[in-house]
Amino acid sequence: MKKIIVALLVALSLTAQARETITIIYGFSAADNSANYSRNLAEEANRIQDKYNFVFDVKPGAGQVVAFNYVKNTPNTIFMTSGAFWLRPNFYPTQSYDVNEFRSIMTQCSVPFAVASGKYNDWKDVPKDRPITIATSGLGVVSHLTALQILKNYPNATIIPFKSTVDALVATMGNQVDLAVGFVGDVEKYSSETSRVKLTILGTTGPKYVGKYPNLSSQGFSAALAKMNTPYNFMVPTSFNEEKAREIREILLKVENKKSVRDSYALDYCQPFQIAEKDLKAWD
């Protein structure tokens, strides 16, 4: 009996060792609700196959530049990107990266941003005649672009960059800044009746109401905000083996409809969408 148990343990050990590790790298905070999109996807993918061991990790900083460079130089890594991937080089062409060095292998979902405050409950309360501050998840990212649109109505505002939307929201809760651009799901954690520190969502990006929250473009802000939801997708360096990339895509697609994954999307009102493999070139 002991020999059988030892043999089984050895077999299990060899199976685990045989798995090739694929690390999904996210360029912002591990505390973001959006980090769970890929964290849950990795867990579900590990349940249905034994060829790859999917793990999730973060490399925050510089509007995803840190994560980009890490994935570019580290084998068997996948870049979980936001819309900042395409924006950053336009804001900072000499402090970013070449988008042509990566290619898309899978889309995930499109998520709206919320502008929230711990000080103000309505836009009419936000002063236009004195300086205010707006926290974002960095510079050259979609939250930065959103804040720039708010500045059109509040020209005395100053943008304060943080490493993540969570950091920006924490600063807002502590009244270190007046407003913050973050994800709806993250804000809602601090807007319930039982929350000790309350945040109020003043408006959201996107073309329509998100839950009970009015969109910004219907409240007198730029119509461009109706198009400022941010997409999430997976990218790999152009040097990444095509056959392996296709195999990984198929595994992840099989589990994307799992409840844990879709629930994590739903917390942020992130709308799932899939682009056919043949059409992914438009996302490169």
Side-chain angles (χ1 to χ4, degrees):
M1 185 66 180
K2 287 183 178 180
K3 290 183 179 180
I4 294 174
I5 293 173
V6 169
L8 287 171
L9 290 173
V10 170
L12 288 171
S13 175
L14 289 173
T15 299
Q17 291 176 9
R19 283 192 175 199
E20 185 177 3
T21 296
I22 303 294
T23 305
I24 300 171
I25 300 294
Y26 179 51
F28 296 101
S29 171
D32 290 353
N33 266 349
S34 49
N36 289 326
Y37 307 166
S38 292
R39 187 183 284 117
N40 291 338
L41 201 64
E43 290 177 0
E44 295 291 354
N46 289 335
R47 291 191 178 103
I48 68 164
Q49 50 80 48
D50 57 14
K51 182 172 182 178
Y52 297 109
N53 177 42
F54 291 94
V55 298
F56 177 80
D57 198 5
V58 296
K59 299 291 178 185
Q64 298 191 123
V65 174
V66 173
F68 178 99
N69 288 329
Y70 182 83
V71 175
K72 177 184 173 182
N73 296 307
T74 308
N76 282 354
T77 54
I78 298 173
F79 190 15
M80 177 193 176
T81 71
S82 73
F85 177 81
W86 294 274
L87 279 181
R88 175 78 187 191
N90 288 286
F91 275 102
Y92 304 103
T94 62
Q95 302 172 43
S96 299
Y97 41 74
D98 181 358
V99 296
N100 295 312
E101 293 181 309
F102 273 55
R103 60 188 173 89
S104 297
I105 63 168
M106 177 180 158
T107 51
Q108 291 177 281
C109 61
S110 178
V111 62
F113 277 111
V115 178
S117 179
K119 291 182 179 181
Y120 306 111
N121 296 318
D122 194 282
W123 282 113
K124 69 178 184 293
D125 302 324
V126 182
K128 290 188 176 183
D129 58 351
R130 65 176 188 268
I132 61 170
T133 49
I134 306 176
T136 69
S137 57
L139 297 176
V141 295
V142 181
S143 62
H144 179 201
L145 189 61
T146 300
L148 287 174
Q149 301 305 310
I150 302 299
L151 258 65
K152 292 179 180 180
N153 290 42
Y154 291 86
N156 290 320
T158 299
I159 295 173
I160 310 295
F162 288 81
K163 280 190 174 182
S164 72
T165 53
V166 168
D167 292 336
L169 290 172
V170 169
T172 309
M173 285 188 288
N175 288 329
Q176 296 169 331
V177 293
D178 298 297
L179 308 171
V181 182
F183 295 112
V184 178
D186 286 325
V187 179
E188 285 186 328
K189 295 176 185 176
Y190 307 105
S191 61
S192 69
E193 293 298 323
T194 57
S195 178
R196 184 175 62 84
V197 181
K198 291 193 185 304
L199 289 176
T200 299
I201 293 177
L202 302 178
T204 62
T205 63
K208 56 186 179 181
Y209 273 47
V210 176
K212 61 182 179 180
Y213 312 112
N215 59 338
L216 291 160
S217 57
S218 70
Q219 298 182 80
F221 290 95
S222 169
L225 286 162
K227 300 178 181 179
M228 284 190 191
N229 290 358
T230 187
Y232 277 96
N233 67 312
F234 292 132
M235 305 192 83
V236 294
T238 52
S239 59
F240 201 99
N241 180 273
E242 287 193 22
E243 183 178 346
K244 182 188 288 189
R246 185 172 292 110
E247 188 173 38
I248 288 169
R249 168 186 163 84
E250 291 305 316
I251 291 169
L252 297 179
L253 282 175
K254 285 180 181 177
V255 297
E256 201 205 13
N257 281 320
K258 293 291 186 178
K259 186 176 186 300
S260 66
V261 178
R262 290 306 171 103
D263 283 353
S264 64
Y265 288 179
L267 281 174
D268 275 337
Y269 301 86
C270 200
Q271 185 65 40
F273 71 96
Q274 269 309 325
I275 303 297
E277 187 177 10
K278 65 181 178 64
D279 297 324
L280 282 174
K281 184 65 179 173
W283 284 74
D284 295 350

